[in-house]
Amino acid sequence: MTQVNDPAPNPHATAEEVKAAFDDPKLANVLYHDWEAGTYDEKWSISYDERCISYATDVFNAVAGEDGQPYPTAMELGSGTGFFLLNLMQGGVIKKGSVTDLSPGMVQVALRNAENLGLDVDGRVADAERIPYEDNSFDLVVGHAVLHHIPDVRAAFAEVLRVLKPGGRFVFAGEPTKVGDFYARKLGQITWYLTTNLTKLPVLNGWRRPQEELDESSRAAALEAVVDIHTFDPSELESMARGAGAQDVRAVTEEFAAALAGWPIRTFEAAVPQEKLTLRWRLFAYRLWLRLSALDKKLLAKVLPRELFYNVMITGTKRP
């Protein structure tokens, strides 16, 4: 479970590197995700227990179904800390996995998470437009919140199909729609402004994070705006996959009410000291998300256009 000839993480970028990253999306992705790797799971409430195992398997099955499980080999593209692949492995969807990411820091954390969970996983630092694996290597390629970081999504789809075995499947989830990204960003900006200004009041000062932490979060948010390159219309994303040669392509969207509540909650949690977020609060936030997600699935998905939902998921297969 070691990387071969891969670069070391760089979690402390220089001012010159950060400045250069604003004109280089790939460098921005490396710096931002190396910077975030050590705290990423905490920031996004990622875990490797039943909560996230159920979420990952439900998302996968919602777009791809259960046929073909367990897949003998799978690769996660843009794995981050391994959230999607590792939880799918624990859920019985995948037997053996490989994690890849442009960020050495993320690959390092993903491999550590896999080792702690006792999972059979290897890893490589990898550019999605030039995946360092042979043709016909995997039965499945997955990704979560990765396509919107890749400069040339069509080239990435072509590479995914190249490394898939004939008849193999890809599943990408957690990608922002054009409409969903608009309202999520606006809600996040409003929440950040209100929280960071209201906590200046003496009566709420105990809820204020130290200014240097808020400044660092603001710098990270500035880079985040560089690494988030695309938003997607579901039909356009389907066309990209078909244009690369995929068949049986299908896109599904999720989270409308859940996103309208979830983005202000996530932003609030990022703006206040972690010790203020009690177990009672976390349970409230999680249960609210579950209820609103159920509302999305059982009612809103049946009456609202799919373009209004925040997340788009897509699957397809390589020709046999």
Side-chain angles (χ1 to χ4, degrees), residues 27-317:
L27 175 61
N29 265 291
V30 173
L31 297 183
Y32 174 76
H33 289 101
D34 273 4
W35 187 358
E36 294 274 283
T39 57
Y40 196 78
D41 284 351
E42 180 182 14
K43 175 181 177 180
W44 294 102
S45 298
I46 291 171
S47 63
Y48 301 91
D49 54 17
E50 188 56 39
R51 177 176 66 90
C52 281
I53 293 170
S54 294
Y55 172 81
T57 54
D58 287 349
V59 164
F60 185 95
N61 292 338
V63 66
E66 299 184 35
D67 291 346
Q69 299 182 23
Y71 292 85
T73 59
M75 179 193 73
E76 182 170 10
L77 193 69
S79 64
T81 57
F83 156 73
F84 203 35
L85 181 100
L86 302 185
N87 281 313
L88 288 175
M89 292 181 74
Q90 292 191 101
V93 177
I94 297 163
K95 288 185 176 179
K96 175 176 172 53
S98 299
V99 290
T100 66
D101 200 286
L102 196 60
S103 159
M106 287 295 191
V107 174
Q108 188 178 81
V109 174
L111 290 174
R112 185 170 68 236
N113 285 339
E115 185 173 11
N116 291 340
L117 294 167
L119 298 174
D120 186 6
V121 175
D122 58 57
R124 292 296 309 275
V125 175
D127 185 330
E129 297 167 16
R130 292 182 295 275
I131 300 172
Y133 287 95
E134 299 293 328
D135 296 359
N136 308 322
S137 293
F138 299 100
D139 301 286
L140 174 70
V141 173
V142 299
H144 192 280
V146 58
L147 296 179
H148 67 282
H149 294 313
I150 300 170
D152 192 338
V153 178
R154 292 181 185 274
F157 272 127
E159 276 291 274
V160 166
L161 291 170
R162 180 184 65 78
V163 301
L164 277 173
K165 296 177 182 178
R169 177 176 294 279
F170 63 80
V171 173
F172 291 101
E175 300 297 338
T177 63
K178 292 182 182 297
V179 176
D181 181 74
F182 173 79
Y183 61 69
R185 286 189 183 276
K186 290 299 181 185
L187 287 169
Q189 290 166 359
I190 292 168
T191 305
W192 182 265
Y193 175 83
L194 290 175
T195 305
T196 56
N197 280 278
L198 287 174
T199 52
K200 291 178 181 177
L201 299 173
V203 69
L204 295 174
N205 196 249
W207 284 82
R208 186 171 181 81
R209 286 175 60 187
Q211 189 61 43
E212 59 270 20
E213 292 183 12
L214 293 173
D215 290 343
E216 184 172 0
S217 291
S218 295
R219 288 194 297 273
L223 261 187
E224 187 174 18
V226 179
V227 303
D228 290 348
I229 302 172
H230 307 288
T231 55
F232 299 105
D233 176 271
S235 297
E236 291 176 357
L237 191 59
E238 289 171 331
S239 294
M240 287 184 190
R242 291 192 186 102
Q247 63 178 21
D248 304 321
V249 175
R250 174 175 177 253
V252 176
T253 55
E254 64 171 2
E255 291 195 17
F256 178 69
L260 292 176
W263 276 98
I265 287 172
R266 291 188 193 104
T267 306
F268 170 77
E269 290 176 344
V272 302
Q274 290 299 301
E275 60 269 18
K276 293 292 187 179
L277 303 176
T278 62
L279 177 61
R280 184 176 180 180
W281 164 265
R282 294 186 185 278
L283 287 173
F284 158 76
Y286 177 55
R287 288 167 179 163
L288 177 63
W289 180 84
L290 285 178
R291 292 189 185 100
L292 294 178
S293 293
L295 175 66
D296 288 333
K297 293 174 184 176
K298 295 177 181 178
L299 176 61
L300 298 183
K302 298 176 182 178
V303 298
L304 295 178
R306 65 177 183 171
E307 290 80 8
L308 292 182
F309 290 76
Y310 177 73
N311 280 326
V312 59
M313 309 174 285
I314 187 167
T315 189
T317 60

